[in-house]
């Protein structure tokens, strides 16, 4: 459940020095975004030369079998087969009312796993990228009297009621608008810090990369638009097949990248689209930087990564609830278009590829981007811990 990783100077098997920071990073294995945000902050801490031991927890692993069935398994079922059901759940639980038991229930659901991780890690810091583990950490602290900084990274651009965690001393949010939502819903303003959503430092190294050089490196053409499909790593982009058919019939030649979640690998030509089925790849940051456009879902980390690089998005068939709000945020910020109906997708993609419109959207995307978010989170944590 918890694993220590070597993350500082070699102690030669001796006990850690008093100056060494002990940190428990808790994500949730319901998609890669939560973990990616955590890894970005860890990289930022290491870049600052902070000696620390890091331990890793998973809020999903804290659950027993019945709890997992009623939460994670049901969530995945709804996304794949009944998104309307998830949309209803999202809206119902976004209000504070007596029968909204989910937010309060997760102050103890999975508590045994959290207590075990706290006992093993004995942390100075518990940093979560999923709301439920922040709630559990607060309960565990009250029960045990153990002292640590309880902090939360909010990985979407709108605050659902679940993310209003008064147990936390620090909450890191994506934008000033997100902070306003937090404060309006009762969170103390001094606890909420606008940093952006943390992304890997590799993106900062790609800010000025030559797009054609990146394409040559990956065997892609420089004379055709490159479109990256945002389908999520869990295969929950139900509109992917229809979206590929649309891209194949734009009336102009394009290249399309299909990454994690794809079935099989290889290249196919369909209509005017050359479709590269890549499957899982560690080259995602370079491929994103090489792209003209992202089409598909609007997960928080995908939005953060694309806007950091100034790549516009055409959002289509987002997850009801949080991704719809992310799409609205992009559209209002001039960083993307939201194709709400299947019939709108072709027109939106062609509009986004028009040179003048593409330049406008790219500028809007870059204006929203926060490539230094992980650094901002790391610096704030170290100040709060008195480690500057």
């Amino acid at each position: 459940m918890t694993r220590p990783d070597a993350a500082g100077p070699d102690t030669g098997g001796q006990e850690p020095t008093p100056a060494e920071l002990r940190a428990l990073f808790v994500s949730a294995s319901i998609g890669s975004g939560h973990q990616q945000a955590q890894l970005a902050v860890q990289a930022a801490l290491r870049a600052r030369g902070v000696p620390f031991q890091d331990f890793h927890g998973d809020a999903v692993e804290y659950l027993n079998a019945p709890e997992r069935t009623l939460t994670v398994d049901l969530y995945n079922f709804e996304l794949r087969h009944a998104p309307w059901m998830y949309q209803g759940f999202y809206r119902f639980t976004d209000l504070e009312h007596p029968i909204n038991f989910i937010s309060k229930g997760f102050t103890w659901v999975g508590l045994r796993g959290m207590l075990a991780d706290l006992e093993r890690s004995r942390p100075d810091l518990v940093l979560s990228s999923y709301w439920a583990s922040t709630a559990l950490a607060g309960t565990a602290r009250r029960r045990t009297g153990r002292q640590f900084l309880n902090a939360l990274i909010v990985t979407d651009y709108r605050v659902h009621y679940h993310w209003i965690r008064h147990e936390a001393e620090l909450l890191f949010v994506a934008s000033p608008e997100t902070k306003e939502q937090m404060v309006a819903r009762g969170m103390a303003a001094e606890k909420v810090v606008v940093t952006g959503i943390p992304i890997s430092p590799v993106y900062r190294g790609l800010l000025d990369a030559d797009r054609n050089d990146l394409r040559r490196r990956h065997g892609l053409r420089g004379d055709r638009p490159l479109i990256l499909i945002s389908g999520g790593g869990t295969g929950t982009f139900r509109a992917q097949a229809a979206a590929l058919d649309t891209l194949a019939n734009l009336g102009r030649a394009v290249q399309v990248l299909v990454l994690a979640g794809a079935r099989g690998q290889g290249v196919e030509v369909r209509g005017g689209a050359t479709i590269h089925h890549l499957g899982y790849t560690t080259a995602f940051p370079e491929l994103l930087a090489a792209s003209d456009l992202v089409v598909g879902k609007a997960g928080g980390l995908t939005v953060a990564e694309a806007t950091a690089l100034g790549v516009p998005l055409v959002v289509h068939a987002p997850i009801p609830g949080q991704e719809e709000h992310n799409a609205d945020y992009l559209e209002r910020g001039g960083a993307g278009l939201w194709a709400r109906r299947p019939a709108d997708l072709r027109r939106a993609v062609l509009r986004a590829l028009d040179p003048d419109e593409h330049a406008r959207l790219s500028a809007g995307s870059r204006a929203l981007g926060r490539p230094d978010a992980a650094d901002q989170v790391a610096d704030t944590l170290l100040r709060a811990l008195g480690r500057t």
Side-chain angles (χ1 to χ4, degrees), residues 20-86:
E20 189 172 51
L21 174 67
R22 299 177 67 87
L24 173 61
F25 298 93
V26 188
S27 60
S29 53
I30 51 174
S32 63
H34 299 288
Q35 185 182 25
Q36 292 301 315
Q38 295 279 26
L39 293 174
V41 175
Q42 292 168 54
L45 288 170
R46 290 193 181 96
R48 279 150 180 72
V50 179
F52 72 98
Q53 284 191 350
D54 55 323
F55 299 80
H56 297 257
D58 182 348
V60 174
E61 291 186 6
Y62 292 165
L63 304 175
N64 61 34
E67 291 166 348
R68 191 175 302 191
T69 297
L70 290 172
T71 55
V72 178
D73 293 346
L74 180 59
Y75 170 77
N76 288 329
F77 173 84
E78 290 172 343
L79 294 190
R80 290 174 183 271
H81 305 292
W84 57 269
M85 185 183 298
Y86 177 74

Side-chain angles (χ1 to χ4, degrees), residues 154-158 172-179 193-197 329 368 370:
V154 180
T155 55
D156 283 306
Y157 288 82
R158 178 189 176 275
F172 301 104
V173 298
S175 72
E177 181 179 294
T178 320
K179 177 172 181 174
V193 184
V194 179
T195 58
I197 298 174
Y329 175 78
L368 293 183
R370 288 180 174 263

Side-chain angles (χ1 to χ4, degrees), residues 94-130:
D94 194 30
L95 301 170
E96 184 175 7
H97 48 73
I99 57 175
N100 183 358
F101 61 90
I102 298 294
S103 187
K104 295 179 176 62
F106 272 86
T107 60
W108 57 267
V109 172
L111 182 59
R112 180 179 298 179
M114 172 60 78
L115 288 170
D117 270 359
L118 291 176
E119 180 64 27
R120 293 188 181 99
S121 60
R122 295 177 286 113
D124 305 298
L125 164 68
V126 175
L127 179 64
S128 300
S129 52
Y130 185 63

